[in-house]
Amino acid sequence: MTFDFTRRSVLLGAGAALGTFVLGRSQALAQATVPLKIGFISPVSGPLAGFGETDGYILDRAREALAGGVTMNGTGYSVELLDRDTQSDPSRAGQLARELINSDGVDIMIAVSTPETINPVSDACEAAGVPCISTVMPWEAWYFGRGAKPGEPSPFTYGFHFGFGVDEFYRAYISQWDLIETNRKVGVMYPNDADGNAVRAVLAPRLVEAGYEVIDPGAYETGTQDYSQQIRIFREAGIEIFNTFPIPPDFAAFWRQAAQQGLHRQIKIVQTAKTGLFPGDIEALGTLGNNIASAAYWHRDFPYTSPVTGLNGVALCDGYEAATGRQWTQQLGASLSAIDVAMAALAAAADPKDKDGVAAAIAGLTADSIAGVVDFTTGPVPNVAHGPIIGTQWQPSEKGPHQFDYVVTENATDPNVPVVGTLVPYNA
Amino acid sequence: MISQLIGAVLLGGYYAVLATGLAFMFSVMNIINLAHGALIVLSAYGLYVLGGMMGLPIAIPIMIIVMFVVGLALHALILARASKGGELLPLLATFGLSIILDNLMFQVFGADSLSLAPLVGDLSWASFELPGFIFVGKLSVYTLIAAVAVIAGLEWLLRRTTLGHRIQATSQDRATARLLGIDTARTAAIATGLALATGVIAATALGLRTAWGPYAGSAQLLFAFEAVVIGGMGSLWRVLWGAMILALAQSLAAMIHPQGFLIGGHLAFLLAVFWRLRGGAFSLNRLLGREVRT
């Protein structure tokens, strides 16, 4: 750390010495700066576009906040965010990452949403020795899915992931399902894909341990058009809780067929993941969407503030709704939290341009973000930090302006999040 | 078991609705329209927008007219030119069109999953109760009826009307038809329009039974194509049988294991391919079992 007593460093040195970064907005500061480049890769178009839809707004807010440059350890930097769209294509994601590394020379990479985006980007960064921050996919699929072995040292030096895993889903579900009296019979529909197979292998056995009877008709292929077999099994078993991880069109087809068979009248909790992340998924179901329970990796009621933009959850979501006329989604906070963590990572290193130094600093990083504290020192495995999954419910809105309110119903994995709603039985 | 069989037959009705436009276009113009799925999704967006304003019963006939006109334009701008270049060029042209449409729809409508079901109240999940605790979805029954009606209508048109005879003549031998004074370009354009108009019925069924996004077209195309290949050409009724066989194969496989649903359909499709191509070289006509209509 350097201590040259210019007027600027006296003013800002205190903050920088603590390893945080200070937003320098003065014109003089912006002129004498070294450029810092941050790659931001997400699926903005293609079938996963629901995840990337809000990223343009987030990037605008971050660019606005960072326009004046930042000061880290007494040096002024200008910050450039280079965003790329994977078009939901994993091979394109890897290619974009390599381009950002080789042609643009990014100092740190951010990859957001789904294994199809994050895993190829993380692999490219690991190979090229560029620090990479990622969020929004189960960490197990990121860590073990890319070749790490349980009990062995982490094979990753540059890749760091934060966010939920199967354990958070388990704790949120147990906490959520205890809110309503049921016969504890859970029907599950997990597809034959990365998420579905992971929850079948890890989550289902833990639900059984917790005293739930799990009725699993077996994996189904995404794109299946007829579900009479599964519906019959659920109906005969008399399930009162239903849990599924489908894509929205599959869930719409399944749930309508289930309702044709009268299954919806016996079910007290419909707990969906993947479908139900975004309001459009639920609106497409019509009245059948009322009171579907969901789980959120971020929510506007999270009591945290983004260090980069200075926005809290409510301000961020209100701003988004005012600017676009669309309902806020949980992806807003998740994407912004990745930028928060990446900026904190750069600031934590002695020299943000030193990639090895940054990667080493992230391993010991505890960063504030709009999604809460991200702590890489207490993660379940090296290179991974925990993130919450909060139980929620889509309740028909009484006040408007949107068709549904997304209400927090439990907070087992982050007690700081206020529980404002009560879980309503689906068939009530 | 009985309820599964009923379900399979009704699902066959849905596939038949999807496949009819594709089969009609091939039988008339020798073009496999790879943009068929994307055009169905485009119709679904049209129904969503118009239906939200004036209700689905009014939106459907308007969209049928709109898509008929789109079909005329599609023929004039793309298909007429592409089909001069042989069998492969229309395939590539329509494939390109599907990619353009997918991304255009994404630009305009965004990534949301949409559905027509909220426009019709409870119809999408209402059901008839049969004796023996068997529930049959009303929507699937109406879809099957629509499939039969569309196919019957098109068959009647082809066999009983002057326009139909012109379409058949054009499809069998364009040069001779022209010699006999048939405006073959106009006839082919009308046939394209009709094919796209049936896509509106398919879009209604799609939008009511599930949800779709801008990239949903290719999945619909796959089911339609499989149904057409299994059924074969010659009469549009064979599309209905092909769709039924596809749905039955899927449902039977799903009874063995839920994961088998799609595989069962693909197996039936492959068997049909081997059956049609037995002992001969590959050609689209052989693949689709095309015969001269009698």
Side-chain angles (χ1 to χ4, degrees), chain A residues 10-338:
Chain A
V10 170
L11 285 173
L12 300 177
L18 290 170
T20 60
F21 63 95
V22 178
L23 301 177
R25 291 169 198 279
S26 76
Q27 201 56 38
L29 187 64
Q31 279 161 4
T33 52
V34 184
L36 272 180
K37 288 186 176 176
I38 303 176
F40 185 100
I41 299 181
S42 65
V44 180
S45 61
L48 301 172
F51 287 97
E53 192 162 32
T54 52
D55 283 347
Y57 182 81
I58 291 300
L59 287 161
D60 285 349
R61 296 291 77 73
R63 287 195 179 108
E64 235 169 60
L66 297 168
V70 296
T71 302
M72 292 174 181
N73 289 341
T75 312
Y77 296 92
S78 66
V79 181
E80 195 182 346
L81 276 163
L82 303 164
D83 61 303
R84 297 289 182 271
D85 170 18
T86 67
Q87 298 173 1
S88 305
D89 177 354
S91 58
R92 187 175 155 86
Q95 188 196 334
L96 289 170
R98 285 187 292 277
E99 275 173 24
L100 282 171
I101 292 165
N102 298 327
S103 312
D104 299 296
V106 295
D107 297 293
I108 193 168
M109 191 76 81
I110 298 172
V112 185
S113 301
T114 74
E116 288 83 350
T117 315
I118 295 173
N119 282 352
V121 174
S122 291
D123 288 345
C125 290
E126 196 67 43
V130 173
C132 179
I133 298 281
S134 55
T135 189
V136 186
M137 70 176 272
W139 66 260
E140 290 92 345
W142 181 85
Y143 188 75
F144 299 120
R146 294 169 56 240
K149 298 274 182 299
E152 289 179 18
S154 168
F156 309 124
T157 311
Y158 298 97
F160 292 88
H161 183 85
F162 69 96
F164 57 87
V166 173
D167 183 58
E168 278 78 22
F169 273 104
Y170 166 77
R171 284 158 62 200
Y173 285 176
I174 294 299
S175 151
Q176 176 109 319
W177 297 348
D178 275 349
L179 297 171
I180 291 178
E181 181 85 5
T182 65
N183 62 7
R184 296 171 84 84
K185 287 184 179 177
V186 188
V188 300
M189 282 257 296
Y190 300 144
N192 179 32
D193 62 15
D195 297 335
N197 292 330
V199 290
R200 169 173 290 104
V202 186
L203 178 64
R206 295 191 61 185
L207 293 176
V208 174
E209 274 170 37
Y212 288 89
E213 188 185 334
V214 174
I215 292 101
D216 182 359
Y220 69 95
E221 293 294 338
T222 290
T224 295
Q225 301 288 318
D226 184 88
Y227 298 93
S228 19
Q229 188 73 3
Q230 288 95 332
I231 294 165
R232 184 182 60 79
I233 291 170
F234 291 147
R235 215 169 62 171
E236 283 169 4
I239 62 163
E240 288 187 352
I241 301 173
F242 176 64
N243 178 220
T244 185
F245 279 63
I247 60 169
D250 285 352
F251 183 69
F254 167 77
W255 196 234
R256 281 180 199 144
Q257 289 173 18
Q260 285 168 2
Q261 305 292 326
L263 184 68
H264 68 303
R265 282 192 288 273
Q266 80 187 46
I267 294 186
K268 293 183 178 167
I269 301 174
V270 181
Q271 184 82 47
T272 67
K274 208 148 53 173
T275 295
L277 291 177
F278 306 122
D281 305 345
I282 301 297
E283 284 163 14
L285 292 167
T287 48
L288 284 179
N290 291 355
N291 296 324
I292 282 186
S294 165
Y297 39 81
W298 187 77
H299 191 283
R300 63 180 278 148
D301 292 346
F302 271 37
Y304 307 112
T305 302
S306 155
V308 169
T309 60
L311 295 168
N312 64 15
V314 172
L316 176 69
C317 293
D318 286 348
Y320 175 77
E321 293 190 348
T324 62
R326 297 171 58 85
Q327 189 168 5
W328 69 277
T329 82
Q330 53 187 293
Q331 190 60 37
L332 283 164
S335 289
L336 183 51
S337 72

Side-chain angles (χ1 to χ4, degrees), chain A residues 44 192 217 225 229 249 256 260, chain B residues 4 106 115 127 208-210 258:
Chain A
V44 180
N192 179 32
Q225 301 288 318
Q229 188 73 3
R256 281 180 199 144
Q260 285 168 2
Chain B
Q4 266 96 330
F106 169 68
S115 179
S127 50
L208 288 174
R209 78 191 302 277
T210 176

